[in-house]
Amino acid sequence: MKLGNNIRRLRFEHNEMSQEELAVGLGVTRQTIHSIEKGKFIPSALLAFRIAKYFRKNVEDVFHLMDDNDISLSERT
Amino acid sequence: MEMAGLFPTAGNRLRLTATVTLVLLTFCFLWLFYDLYAYIAIKGKSPDSEAIGRLAGLGFPVRILLFISFAVLLLKAFRNGFKASLPVIITIITGTASVIAMFFDFAALDDIGNDYLVHGYRCTGEWFWLFGSLMLRMAFYISLALFIVLIMRSQRALTEASGLVVDEALFEATQWVGIVCGMTGVAFTVYAYAVLGDAALKSWLTWLMLFYCAVIIIPWLALVAYWIFRLATKTDRTVYDEKQRHDLAFSGMVTWLSSIPLMAVIMIINFGDESRATAHLWFPFYLFASLLIFSATLLTRFRRG
């Protein structure tokens, strides 16, 4: 199981917002946003809710669980 | 009258600091060539060695001013949104090494003044160090000049002060300085053990070595002091974000785990013979090795995500 996210898509839907702009808005570093987007770092529940609130979405609209099949499919495409 | 116009903006202050650093850099650059001439003249035992050496000594306060100005410029640049790109990292590495090298330059020149000119010893190691140090300084000056040019050129694009950008760039800079100080310290303690051996047990030499160890760690301590100052003055105490805290914890664990076999080796070397040089050198070695492992792990984790 892995935690997938739509942050990259949401950023682009918000006037092609950069990772740095999102980081400044959330009070974290750009590297943190980069790592979450890439799925290398799993954020705390608090940060996940803050990200969702920032985009005015529910948490499940931003983050979703990916099982192994989803991961291998996404890696192939 | 517009009051705001009377006070310099953050961008103007950055430009002013860059200009002051550039002026000091020009002086230091010229002094570098004078030092080269002075070393050649003194090595050739010129009759004017005394006067030539005195002028070379006057270059030290100018160099100290340049280092202070460089540190202020770096902080101001980060505060104005300047990123820790490759040229900046190279400048930080060569600058940190140059600060440490300055103390060793002073010691080498002092040795040459006494042992080479007065007693006629060869002082091969000291000369080798001084000429090598000139090359290191040259590398620092060139990278600093490039850094200043980058600041001047990109100043318009830099954003207004952002605490986050400062933390991220400074966080990375601290790890680079930690790596340089750690590597230098490990090399110095291993050299002291291998070359000096039991001669290091002489009390004056022990104190001198411990003094050099303290000198090597000064650049890193200065940055840590700045971090502590920020932590103390920030009301919400959120200097690090959660990923940075995660990386710090991981790096701490790696450092602790790797320090056990490292210190076991020191214990085996020292076993049953407490009179050996390791009796005095184990702590600086442990300190620098830990700093090196911690900073390298943290930087790798932070950059790779």
Side-chain angles (χ1 to χ4, degrees):
Chain A
M1 286 287 227
K2 207 178 166 186
L3 190 70
N5 67 76
N6 302 316
I7 296 175
R8 189 178 158 82
R9 182 172 59 77
L10 287 165
R11 277 197 300 111
F12 279 86
E13 284 173 8
H14 283 72
N15 296 324
E16 298 191 1
M17 180 190 285
S18 67
Q19 288 181 337
E20 190 160 325
E21 283 169 321
L22 179 60
V24 170
L26 292 167
V28 296
T29 58
R30 194 197 62 79
Q31 278 291 342
T32 300
I33 299 297
H34 172 78
S35 303
I36 294 171
E37 258 187 31
K38 292 276 176 195
K40 289 179 180 173
F41 176 68
I42 299 174
S44 66
L46 181 68
L47 183 55
F49 273 95
R50 282 177 55 212
I51 294 169
K53 191 181 171 191
Y54 188 85
F55 289 119
R56 294 179 185 173
K57 299 276 183 191
N58 293 321
V59 173
E60 55 269 36
D61 296 330
V62 182
F63 294 98
H64 53 271
L65 281 175
M66 293 167 81
D67 60 27
D68 294 339
N69 292 334
D70 293 334
I71 296 166
S72 56
L73 261 174
S74 66
E75 277 169 0
R76 247 181 275 155
T77 53
Chain B
M1 193 177 171
E2 190 71 46
M3 285 301 285
L6 290 174
F7 301 103
T9 61
N12 286 342
R13 279 196 294 268
L14 179 65
R15 185 179 282 272
L16 182 69
T17 315
T19 311
V20 170
T21 312
L22 191 63
V23 170
L24 286 167
L25 177 65
T26 311
F27 274 116
C28 286
F29 210 82
L30 295 172
W31 226 297
L32 180 91
F33 288 102
Y34 175 76
D35 282 350
L36 177 66
Y37 157 75
Y39 295 167
I40 292 168
I42 296 168
K43 197 166 188 287
K45 296 196 174 170
S46 156
D48 300 325
S49 290
E50 186 76 26
I52 291 168
R54 215 172 287 141
L55 190 58
L58 281 175
F60 280 92
V62 187
R63 256 199 272 177
I64 292 169
L65 283 176
L66 177 70
F67 290 134
I68 293 169
S69 184
F70 166 57
V72 174
L73 179 67
L74 199 65
L75 288 176
K76 280 191 191 296
F78 287 160
R79 205 167 285 161
N80 281 269
F82 208 81
K83 301 276 168 50
S85 58
L86 187 67
V88 180
I89 290 165
I90 292 171
T91 315
I92 292 169
I93 291 172
T94 52
T96 309
S98 297
V99 170
I100 296 167
M102 184 179 66
F103 290 90
F104 288 86
D105 283 358
F106 190 81
L109 282 170
D110 191 49
D111 277 356
I112 284 166
N114 288 315
D115 298 343
Y116 184 74
L117 295 176
V118 179
H119 297 109
Y121 298 143
R122 289 171 69 90
C123 291
T124 314
E126 281 84 352
W127 285 119
F128 183 75
W129 168 265
L130 282 174
F131 285 108
S133 174
L134 279 180
M135 283 161 68
L136 175 69
R137 245 195 292 166
M138 173 76 99
F140 170 55
Y141 292 166
I142 291 169
S143 57
L144 181 57
L146 183 67
F147 178 49
I148 293 170
V149 169
L150 285 175
I151 286 177
M152 296 289 202
R153 283 183 63 182
S154 62
Q155 206 189 352
R156 283 183 192 171
L158 294 177
T159 54
E160 198 45 60
S162 157
L164 292 162
V165 177
V166 175
D167 285 355
E168 191 164 349
L170 200 64
F171 185 78
E172 223 177 299
T174 309
Q175 307 330 315
W176 280 110
V177 171
I179 290 171
V180 175
C181 291
M183 278 174 75
T184 313
V186 167
F188 178 72
T189 45
V190 169
Y191 166 82
Y193 175 72
V195 175
L196 298 176
D198 288 346
L201 288 168
K202 288 175 189 165
S203 67
W204 68 271
L205 205 52
T206 304
W207 283 110
L208 191 66
M209 279 189 307
L210 293 178
F211 169 74
Y212 282 138
C213 288
V215 162
I216 290 169
I217 211 163
I218 282 174
W220 184 78
L221 277 182
L223 275 173
V224 170
Y226 180 77
W227 273 106
I228 293 169
F229 171 74
R230 280 184 64 85
L231 203 67
T233 51
K234 264 199 151 185
T235 47
D236 58 358
R237 300 289 171 103
T238 50
V239 172
Y240 302 121
D241 74 2
E242 65 179 58
K243 186 180 174 294
Q244 285 174 313
R245 279 198 294 268
H246 196 265
D247 294 342
L248 280 162
F250 180 84
S251 308
M253 187 189 72
V254 169
T255 308
W256 178 70
L257 285 174
S258 47
S259 72
I260 297 169
L262 207 63
M263 295 320 291
V265 171
I266 299 291
M267 199 195 81
I268 290 164
I269 291 172
N270 216 25
F271 203 77
D273 188 2
E274 290 173 3
S275 65
R276 297 186 71 160
T278 41
H280 297 294
L281 289 171
W282 74 266
F283 180 71
F285 177 78
Y286 164 74
L287 186 74
F288 290 122
S290 299
L291 178 61
L292 175 61
I293 296 165
F294 181 77
S295 301
T297 312
L298 189 53
L299 189 67
T300 311
R301 289 276 302 183
F302 184 68
R303 295 196 83 156
R304 284 193 181 166

